[in-house]
Amino acid sequence: METKISVIGGGSWATALVKILTANIDQVCWYMRNEQSIEHIKATKHNPNYLSDVHLNINKLHLTSHLDEAIAFSDYIIFCIPSAFLSDEVSKLTLPLTDKTIFSAIKGIEPKSGLIVGEYFNKIHHVPYAQIGIIAGPCHAEEVALERLSYLTIACLDEGKARFMAEAMSRHYVKTKISDDVIGIEYAAMLKNIYALAAGIAHGLGYGDNFQSVLMSNAIREMRRYIKHIYKIKRNINNSAYLGDLLVTSYSLFSRNRMFGTMIGKGYTVKSTMAEMNMVAEGYYATKSAYLINKNQEKPSRTPILDAVYKVLYEGKRAKTEFAELTAELD
């Protein structure tokens, strides 16, 4: 494929995306802040900090620590940095984004604006919705690295752009499908991280598989209510972009959100959990924004799981008490 693509971010998921793209695209620009990491990749063909076993095709890679250079390089830009750092990173730009096609591989809410990433690029940076897309799971970076069979959903209002990105992301171990439910899939990608936190908290508290199955059954229904309230269109919430992504994030040992929740359930504070993990759990930041978005609705959705996680993380309530009360809300 001749079209160039830029990937913004140097973490696990960005590394996995670069691995896929360089197998299909002639030129991939990869932006990361750390100049030492760039030099390491050039010398060894491996990311020193994330998925370090993945061999990278540097003959197809244009590596840069200058964001303007990465944006100017391509018409298609994939943002793959933690949502908490998105606005600070984009503020470095001196170039406009309005003529670019932006795909978000970020599973969270931009905390300063309280907007999902697609809305952030539309409302703050004036990128038309037809030029905004989402790369969603169910898919873990670690399994892409191992070339285990994975699935991606590529959502964009412009079907041609969605198909282009789906083709660019397809490999013998990655199956892709397209969708036009950009907003619904992005909200689902954000919410599933919160429910994975809940699954982790329950695990840390000692709840077993029987409770986890009830928790997930209620979580997908809570997700459906929440998204339907925000953006009502016909969608099958049982599709892999919604239910599948929820399940893999909530059950997988690779899930940093589940790990974060497990540590909270075991009694760690938020601060100590962040220090111990040394990785960003998107669900932590998403919990506050999702809670406030719902409570500011004229008629809020019923969200007992979200509410319980919010109280534990942001109101300092005891996880054991909140989850004991939550059990009475579930069926």
Side-chain angles (χ1 to χ4, degrees):
M1 298 176 72
E2 295 182 359
T3 302
K4 296 180 288 188
I5 295 178
S6 291
V7 176
I8 312 301
S12 297
W13 191 218
T15 305
L17 294 179
V18 167
K19 169 186 167 70
I20 296 169
L21 290 169
T22 50
N24 295 326
I25 301 290
D26 290 332
Q27 297 182 73
V28 177
C29 182
W30 191 6
Y31 164 83
M32 59 179 68
R33 294 180 299 171
N34 192 322
E35 188 67 41
Q36 289 182 325
S37 294
I38 290 175
E39 293 306 315
H40 185 95
I41 292 169
K42 288 179 178 178
T44 69
K45 304 179 183 178
H46 296 273
N47 187 335
N49 301 312
Y50 301 94
L51 303 186
S52 56
D53 289 338
V54 169
H55 179 272
L56 298 165
N57 185 351
I58 60 172
N59 294 324
K60 290 188 175 183
L61 274 179
H62 178 84
L63 290 145
T64 181
S65 59
H66 301 285
L67 188 56
D68 274 341
E69 183 179 348
I71 299 302
F73 189 89
S74 306
D75 293 326
Y76 282 77
I77 317 293
I78 299 175
F79 279 87
C80 192
I81 56 180
S83 60
F85 309 138
L86 178 61
S87 63
D88 288 342
E89 204 64 43
V90 175
S91 69
K92 299 175 183 178
L93 271 175
T94 64
L95 300 177
L97 293 170
T98 50
D99 61 338
K100 304 295 182 179
T101 296
I102 305 295
F103 273 85
S104 170
I106 303 169
K107 314 294 177 60
I109 284 183
E110 195 288 302
K112 292 182 181 178
S113 63
L115 300 170
I116 54 174
V117 176
E119 291 177 332
Y120 166 79
F121 280 113
N122 174 257
K123 297 183 185 302
I124 306 300
H125 295 282
H126 313 295
V127 180
Y129 271 120
Q131 293 166 213
I132 295 172
I134 306 299
I135 299 173
C139 192
H140 275 306
E142 292 81 1
E143 292 204 348
V144 170
L146 295 169
E147 298 193 1
R148 290 180 176 172
L149 183 60
S150 303
Y151 292 73
L152 290 174
T153 299
I154 314 299
C156 187
L157 292 177
D158 185 320
E159 184 177 330
K161 289 179 170 61
R163 290 195 181 281
F164 166 79
M165 189 56 69
E167 184 178 344
M169 298 299 300
S170 295
R171 298 296 296 148
H172 64 275
Y173 57 91
V174 180
K175 296 184 181 294
T176 61
K177 61 180 291 188
I178 66 170
S179 171
D180 62 358
D181 185 18
V182 180
I183 293 176
I185 287 175
E186 188 166 9
Y187 267 103
M190 176 269 292
L191 289 167
K192 55 97 176 179
N193 286 330
I194 302 170
Y195 299 133
L197 285 176
I201 293 171
H203 177 69
L205 289 169
Y207 288 91
D209 293 343
N210 292 340
F211 176 76
Q212 291 283 10
S213 67
V214 173
L215 181 65
M216 290 301 100
S217 173
N218 280 264
I220 192 62
R221 284 176 278 160
E222 184 170 306
M223 178 187 287
R224 179 181 57 80
R225 291 193 300 270
Y226 190 107
I227 299 174
K228 183 178 180 181
H229 202 65
I230 298 290
Y231 184 57
K232 185 177 181 180
I233 65 168
K234 186 177 180 181
R235 64 173 62 85
N236 185 351
I237 202 71
N238 295 319
N239 282 347
S240 60
Y242 313 97
L243 177 59
D245 209 4
L246 168 67
L247 294 177
V248 73
T249 308
S250 299
Y251 286 134
S252 175
L253 297 177
F254 290 128
S255 171
R256 64 189 67 173
N257 288 285
R258 180 186 168 93
M259 185 188 304
F260 190 104
T262 297
M263 294 178 71
I264 295 295
K266 288 183 175 180
Y268 285 73
T269 65
V270 169
K271 185 176 181 180
S272 62
T273 299
M274 288 182 167
E276 185 82 15
M277 285 183 60
N278 197 31
M279 296 178 78
V280 175
E282 288 281 12
Y284 170 73
Y285 300 100
T287 297
K288 183 177 181 180
S289 296
Y291 178 85
L292 294 176
I293 288 170
N294 188 47
K295 293 307 176 188
N296 288 332
Q297 297 290 321
E298 185 175 339
K299 187 178 179 182
S301 298
R302 190 176 76 84
T303 54
I305 303 172
L306 168 60
D307 296 351
V309 174
Y310 176 83
K311 289 174 184 177
V312 171
L313 296 183
Y314 288 95
E315 294 184 352
K317 300 294 179 65
R318 294 182 68 229
K320 183 176 182 179
T321 302
E322 289 303 317
F323 271 64
E325 294 179 3
L326 176 62
T327 61
E329 296 280 336
L330 306 182
D331 56 33

